Amino acid sequence: MGLSDFIEQCYEDNNGVMYDTDKLLDMVSDWEDPNPPLVIKEYDGIKVVRDDLLNHGSKIRFVDKYIRDIKAKEIVFGCCPATGYAQISLPAVANKYDKKVILFMAKRHPDNYHEYQRRGMDLGAIYEWVNMGMLSVTKSRAKKYYEEDPDNRVLFPIGLEHPTVVGSIIKVARQNLNENDFSEIWSVGSSGTINRGLQLAFPNKDVHVVSVGHKMSEREIGRATFYRSDYKFDKIIKEEEMPPFPSAPTYDAKAWKFVKEYAKPNALFWNVGA
């Protein structure tokens, strides 16, 4: 069974949630997170995972094994918006393993590059600018580029969703967090990869996801309680709605007002980056 087939079967067998946690953990049994342990700080009665302190986002933890183990030298990705953290996380990890990152993204004038795009460039990501760069178009262009040399390139999926990525989320969460220390879990979601990994890591905890990107499917939501941000995906939130810690203003920060209004005391909020 191929990896994509494995993912689909997992969802089908468990009502939209990857079911076989043991199998996913077995896939990452030879890996340990090379990054600093999670930093947890409390704000307004909420425990916050401060992965903004990593500088390159939470996914530098979760894609480490995936990138380490692939034989291809080029990582191809066509699912990153201008405000997306993948363009920072991917090259930050790829540099460790002597691999290149090729990003297919909607074309912008250099004067209008997003801060995250400039950070991605500084980390060595190669940007292939696409006219009329809707997600369907950038995905198609990335797939075509990959297919021209599949022996030396690997096409990363939307949300960087791969069994070893989900397994890494479960492993990192369980190694760093004691489920008796928090009441429930919150995060934002676009593809929802991190949130679903946390659902698996702590199956007895209520989990909440605040959607900030495309319309999330039932599969992407999993068993989480769903909320939808009113802001457009690339819109920065109002200053008065920002949390009292560094947080991505077009992404994680959009969840804070929902956490403040609906979360139980002693809830856990996972802050991916800033």
Side-chain angles (χ1 to χ4, degrees):
M1 181 184 290
L3 291 173
S4 61
D5 295 328
F6 171 80
I7 291 173
E8 291 298 332
Q9 188 63 54
C10 284
Y11 281 119
E12 290 173 4
D13 287 353
N14 199 39
N15 298 319
V17 179
M18 284 186 177
Y19 72 102
D20 199 334
T21 301
D22 290 340
K23 183 178 288 187
L24 293 170
L25 285 172
D26 186 61
M27 289 181 176
V28 297
S29 61
D30 67 340
W31 173 84
E32 294 294 333
D33 182 9
N35 299 285
L38 298 183
V39 173
I40 315 294
K41 295 191 177 182
E42 187 168 317
Y43 302 87
D44 301 329
I46 305 297
K47 288 183 165 63
V48 178
V49 175
R50 290 287 310 277
D51 261 3
D52 55 283
L53 297 172
L54 291 177
N55 296 321
H56 302 121
S58 289
K59 285 189 176 177
I60 65 168
R61 301 184 187 277
F62 309 138
V63 300
D64 187 86
K65 174 179 170 57
Y66 187 11
I67 292 177
R68 183 195 73 181
D69 290 356
I70 57 177
K71 295 180 180 179
K73 286 297 185 180
E74 288 189 13
I75 294 163
V76 184
F77 191 53
C79 305
C80 187
T83 55
Y85 239 86
Q87 63 193 317
I88 300 170
S89 301
L90 287 178
V93 178
N95 290 340
K96 294 170 50 180
Y97 300 112
D98 193 28
K99 301 180 191 297
K100 295 180 180 179
V101 173
I102 317 296
L103 301 168
F104 285 80
M105 296 182 67
K107 187 174 182 179
R108 284 190 169 204
H109 189 279
D111 292 343
N112 197 34
Y113 288 156
H114 190 273
E115 172 196 351
Y116 293 175
Q117 292 176 316
R118 297 187 188 280
R119 289 173 65 180
M121 292 174 194
D122 289 342
L123 287 164
I126 298 169
Y127 285 73
E128 295 289 342
W129 302 110
V130 179
N131 292 322
M132 302 294 291
M134 296 182 297
L135 176 62
S136 60
V137 180
T138 58
K139 284 176 63 177
S140 176
R141 288 283 301 276
K143 185 173 185 288
K144 181 178 179 181
Y145 178 79
Y146 155 73
E147 289 173 342
E148 290 171 355
D149 189 5
D151 292 335
N152 294 303
R153 297 168 182 165
V154 60
L155 183 65
F156 271 32
I158 189 167
L160 309 182
E161 184 178 337
H162 182 273
T164 61
V165 171
V166 180
S168 297
I169 296 169
I170 298 168
K171 185 169 186 174
V172 169
R174 288 186 175 180
Q175 285 182 340
N176 286 269
L177 300 170
N178 184 332
E179 65 179 342
N180 294 321
D181 292 340
F182 56 91
S183 59
E184 59 184 12
I185 303 168
W186 286 73
S187 82
V188 294
S190 180
S191 65
T193 303
I194 289 178
N195 191 274
R196 288 194 305 279
L198 294 173
Q199 293 174 34
L200 290 170
F202 302 107
N204 297 319
K205 290 292 184 181
D206 290 336
V207 179
H208 304 257
V209 65
V210 179
S211 174
V212 297
H214 67 278
K215 183 178 180 180
M216 296 179 72
S217 66
E218 289 186 14
R219 193 195 93 161
E220 290 170 327
I221 295 168
R223 65 177 180 84
T225 301
F226 176 80
Y227 308 81
R228 172 76 180 174
S229 172
D230 292 332
Y231 285 100
K232 292 183 179 179
F233 181 63
D234 60 352
K235 183 73 172 178
I236 294 174
I237 69 168
K238 298 175 182 177
E239 182 65 30
E240 59 267 26
E241 294 180 5
M242 282 291 292
F245 49 86
S247 187
T250 59
Y251 197 68
D252 301 89
K254 291 176 180 176
W256 190 244
K257 75 172 185 177
F258 293 91
V259 174
K260 292 288 294 293
E261 183 172 357
Y262 298 111
K264 294 178 182 178
N266 205 38
L268 179 83
F269 172 62
W270 194 294
N271 191 54
V272 171

